[in-house]
Structure formats: structure tokens, C-alpha cells
Amino acid sequence: MSADTFAPSLPAAAELSADAAVVGAGPAGLAAALELARGGLDVLLLDEQAEPGGQYYRRPGPEVLDAVGDHRPEGGRLVARVRAAGVRVLSGHTVWGVDDDRRTLLAASPGGAALRVRARWVVAATGAYERSVPFPGWQLPGVVTPGLAQHMSAEGVRLGRRAVVAGSGPFLLPVACALLERGVRVAAVAEAGRPYTPGPAALGALRFPARLAELASYAARLARHGVRLHQDTVVARAHGADRVEAATLVRFSDPGEVVARHDVDLLCVGYGFRPQADLAQLLGCAVDRDPATGDTVPRLTPAGRASVPHVYVVGEAAGAAGAPTALARGRAAALDILAASGRAPDRGERRRLAVRMASLARFTRLTAALYPAPAELVPALARRLPGSALVCRCECVTAGAVRGAAAAAGGSDVPAVKGGTRAGMGLCQARECGPALEALRADGPGTGAVPARVPLRPLPLAAVLGPAPGEDA
Ligand SMILES: Cc1cc2nc3c(=O)[nH]c(=O)nc-3n(C[C@H](O)[C@H](O)[C@H](O)COP(=O)(O)OP(=O)(O)OC[C@H]3O[C@@H](n4cnc5c(N)ncnc54)[C@H](O)[C@@H]3O)c2cc1C
């Protein structure tokens, strides 16, 4: 279903307008909203979560606050400043589509009522997904993503007794430390690349002493707890009947070589983050396929302005680069909007921000050079999947079925494979299996950006059809 065929039948809905609508209240959206409001614009900030904060500044509920406190109080301070600046914060509001004018945002309120939002400027700060790659047994209870493990640990939950943390990227180390803090015994961290082996690329880290110190502190904590660090290692299989009981790790460069088998009741696997650019796509923004990550990324100016000039894309939605970059991108977009609105922001401030963003970009490039490029990693892992392995967990579709559908359709694009198998058409709408589907669809590189579809999220029917007769909206 496309936005064009879907939108005309929409019922009358409450309508809000503002100078700027910011979608996503993570670090990027909060920073953008704050700067815009300080510059004198009327700002609406929408987020589907119950509280603003996004992934990095996720706000703890009252019970968590009592039990374990707030592990990122600076997030609470930022949210308070945003509210104090007069930003209208609409938590619990999901933006699920864009009207035919490619401008009006279609949202659903917490009760499921329809809301239309019109703004002179739209800032998409929709964050990222974790990059999952299937492996036999990944559907077993006890297999989770590192992001989930991090969040649950921060909320005081002990997810298991003995864990392996695997995948790729710098995020694996703090996740392992967070598990240790909750009393989970971490048997090993398995990293697909070799980022922790001294070499010319690793030496580049010396230019970032604060980051190096952070890394050293994680490494020291892991060493103190006897956590093994396997490099060039990936999960080949999770074993277990009703839940995960063990994980077999193999060399990434030689899948025939078993590195270790660990008995675990918790297996955290993820390969970094991929931008959530679907709202930008619905708004008509041009996107490209990032050759290093294989991700669909919006085409942007350095300040985050998209090909549709009233739309900005900031934070992880513009490319995964971490929370400090997300904050800086949010501010940069806001300053650009203020300049375009005739509210000239302080030139010195823009210059200082540009210097900071250049330094952050150097660190992002270093990180990218240290860890394996997802555009190569994901297809390499997907090619190894046995035909019986589940790829789409929502619709129970195997790798064999996906390969068969791709062959029948002549190795065509993802939509044909989805249509033929229902892979990627379940509750998560390919957020989990999308990269693997793309990689399995054919042996060659991907053919282009995956199109965005409405609704962006599952949503109550009332948000589309209007209230039932006799009910209030
Ligand atoms: C599951 C997960 C866990 C993570 N945990 C950590 C961590 O512990 N530490 C760390 O350093 N980094 C973590 N990251 C990386 C982290 O996302 C970034 O570094 C940082 O939060 C990015 O900020 P952001 O503002 O770009 O996006 P986010 O913080 O992700 O914020 C995006 C916000 O947009 C909202 N949103 C998205 N789409 C819509 C929509 N259609 N309608 C309404 N609202 C919408 C989301 O609910 C979210 O609140 C995590 C990422 C993910 C995906």
C-alpha cells in the first residue's frame, strides 16, 4: 500500500500547527528542539515513547528511579531545558505516515486518535535500529540484542546468569560491562573484526585520548572479571530446546574453525546500528545506499538539510555515529533553520559547532575503519545460513524459502521476495530481518534503497478509520 493510495480516505483528525515539527525526542531531536525554541520558533516535539529521551537518554520510570536511580541524569536535565524553553512535547505520539501533500505528518495519539501536524519545517530525528543478522537458533528465548540488554540492565534487571555478548562494534564492550554490573557472568565478548589488535588503524585512536580512556576502562573491567575477548569470531549457532542453553562461536574468516562453545542462558548479538530513514523517505527526501554499510541514508547537506528543502534529518537517522554526534547534528540543523528563517544565529557558535562536528566525524571514520564494514559482513554471514535457519522470526520464513523465492523471481528485489514468502511482513516490518533479506535475495550487491511504506508502525485502526459511531475522537 503506498502513501498515495492510502491517505485520501483518512478521516477528519485533530490538527496542530507549528513553525517546526521535530519527530523523535532522543538526543538529536531534543537538541534541535531546544535550539529552535531558543531562537524564537514555535516547536512541536513528537515521540512515540511514553517519555522523551530516546535510546541514549531513556528516562527511568518512578520504580526504576527508586530502585537503581537515573544512569544518565544529563538526559533529564536536557528534557527539562526543552520544556522550559516552551517546546510543546507530545510523548506517546507515533508519526505513522505523511499525507499526499508530502508535508502534513499523520500521527496517532496514545489513545489511538488521529492527529495531523503541519509545520513550516520538519526535523526527522527518528534514530536507528539495531542491526541483526540471523543465525540458527536466534529465535530462542534468551537471545536478545545488545541494546535491549543494555536498557534492561540500566533498569536493574538481571537478564541471565551467564552470557556471551557477540556481533560487532564498540557498543559490545559497555553492554558486557552493564551485564557484569547486574551480576551476570559474562563468559566472552565475540567481535567479528579485529579492532583490538595493534595496527595502523588502531594507532589512530591515540588522537582521541578521552575515548581511548573510556575503552581502556571497559577493557580493564572485563579483564578483572575474566571475560574472554574473541576477535574474528561470530556466533554460528545458539543451542537449546525451550531457551538458549549454549552458543557455538566460530572464526569469521574461517567458519569451519570452532573458537569456543559456551554454556549460556543469555546471548546478546548485534552488529551495530542502522539509520531509521523511512520518515524522510515518505517526506520525499532523496536517499542513497551507503556503500560501506549497505544502509539507506538520506542525501543531506552538512547541516542536515535534505533534498526537500523544508526537511532536515538529524542524529542516527542520518547515519549511525553515537550520541555526541546526534546532539551536534540536532543543533546544526536548528541553527541552519534559524538562519533560513531570518533569525541569524551567533556566527561564533556555528563555527565552534562546525569544529566539534569535524572532530566527531574523524572519530566516526576511525571507528568505521576499525570494525568490519557491514556491507561486506552481513552478506558474508547471510550466505552461510543453512536453508533451515529462520530468517523472518515474525512470519517463520527460512533462509531456504527466501533463496527459493529470490531464484523464482530471478534474484529480484526485496519486495518480490517479501510478496512470495511473507518474510519481513510481520509485526517488526523487516526491522529485524531486513538486512539479511536484502543479502539473501541475490548474491550480488543490493540494487537500491528499500522503499518506505505506510503505516510506519502497527497502529490502532481508530487512528486511520476514525472513532467508532458514538465514540469521541
Ligand atoms: C535499541 C537501541 C539501544 C541503544 N542503546 C544505546 C546505549 O545504551 N548507549 C549508547 O551510547 N547508544 C545506544 N544506542 C545508540 C543510540 O541510538 C544513539 O547513540 C543515540 O540515542 C542517538 O540519538 P538520536 O536522537 O539520533 O536517536 P534516538 O535516541 O534513537 O531517538 C529517536 C527517537 O525517535 C522516536 N521515533 C522514531 N520513529 C518515530 C516515529 N515514527 N514517530 C514518533 N517517534 C519516533 C523513537 O521513539 C526515539 O525516542 C542505542 C540504539 C538503539 C537502536
Side-chain angles (χ1 to χ4, degrees), residues 219-320:
R221 252 184 284 170
L222 297 180
R224 251 198 330 274
H225 286 86
V227 179
R228 305 214 30 208
L229 176 63
H230 303 297
Q231 298 197 80
D232 185 20
T233 300
V234 292
V235 177
R237 178 176 288 274
H239 311 267
D242 300 324
R243 59 167 298 119
V244 64
E245 290 165 10
T248 296
L249 307 179
V250 297
R251 280 271 165 261
F252 174 56
S253 57
D254 176 8
E257 183 189 337
V258 174
V259 174
R261 180 181 156 124
H262 293 286
D263 292 335
V264 292
D265 61 358
L266 177 65
L267 179 58
C268 314
V269 191
Y271 292 84
F273 302 99
R274 58 193 185 97
Q276 186 169 332
D278 41 13
L279 177 60
Q281 284 176 276
L282 286 187
L283 286 161
C285 303
V287 292
D288 294 308
R289 188 187 181 80
D290 184 313
T293 61
D295 296 329
T296 297
V297 284
R299 200 174 300 158
L300 302 171
T301 66
R305 184 189 282 234
S307 62
V308 178
H310 75 279
V311 178
Y312 285 72
V313 186
V314 298
E316 306 274 87

Side-chain angles (χ1 to χ4, degrees), residues 424-471:
M425 294 171 76
L427 192 63
C428 89
Q429 288 289 294
R431 276 182 261 282
E432 295 278 330
C433 63
L437 276 184
E438 169 74 10
L440 281 169
R441 151 209 71 82
D443 279 342
T447 50
V450 179
R453 300 242 186 272
V454 289
L456 293 174
R457 298 277 190 281
L459 75 159
L461 265 183
V464 181
L465 301 176
E471 270 182 23

Side-chain angles (χ1 to χ4, degrees), residues 32-238:
L34 179 60
E35 205 69 51
L36 289 167
R38 277 182 175 163
L41 298 195
D42 173 30
V43 185
L44 265 180
L45 175 60
L46 297 105
D47 195 291
E48 62 192 342
Q49 301 293 328
E51 290 289 335
Q55 300 292 354
Y56 190 74
Y57 289 144
R58 186 176 289 256
R59 299 295 73 224
E63 286 168 14
V64 173
L65 209 52
D66 276 353
V68 286
D70 182 353
H71 81 302
R72 293 214 170 97
E74 70 275 23
R77 289 194 289 271
L78 178 56
V79 172
R81 281 158 63 210
V82 166
R83 291 190 194 277
V87 173
R88 287 182 281 161
V89 181
L90 298 181
S91 293
H93 282 72
T94 302
V95 174
W96 58 268
V98 174
D99 208 344
D100 275 357
D101 60 4
R102 291 230 157 162
R103 205 172 177 116
T104 307
L105 302 175
L106 306 174
S109 76
L115 174 70
R116 297 161 65 86
V117 175
R118 297 180 61 83
R120 164 83 185 85
W121 306 98
V122 175
V123 180
T126 46
Y129 308 118
E130 286 188 90
R131 191 190 315 279
S132 295
V133 185
F135 53 87
W138 78 313
Q139 71 276 16
L140 287 168
V143 179
V144 300
T145 60
L148 182 103
Q150 168 88 327
H151 286 323
M152 299 297 279
S153 301
E155 300 204 338
V157 178
R158 185 180 177 213
L159 278 175
R161 286 190 304 275
R162 190 176 152 91
V164 161
V165 180
S168 187
F171 188 47
L172 301 184
L173 302 185
V175 170
C177 290
L179 291 172
L180 289 172
E181 217 166 289
R182 289 286 153 246
V184 180
R185 206 172 147 220
V186 180
V189 172
E191 162 59 54
R194 287 193 168 280
Y196 310 116
T197 306
L203 281 177
L206 294 173
R207 292 170 58 196
F208 300 93
R211 304 289 189 126
L212 208 53
E214 194 182 339
L215 179 73
S217 91
Y218 294 138
R221 252 184 284 170
L222 297 180
R224 251 198 330 274
H225 286 86
V227 179
R228 305 214 30 208
L229 176 63
H230 303 297
Q231 298 197 80
D232 185 20
T233 300
V234 292
V235 177
R237 178 176 288 274

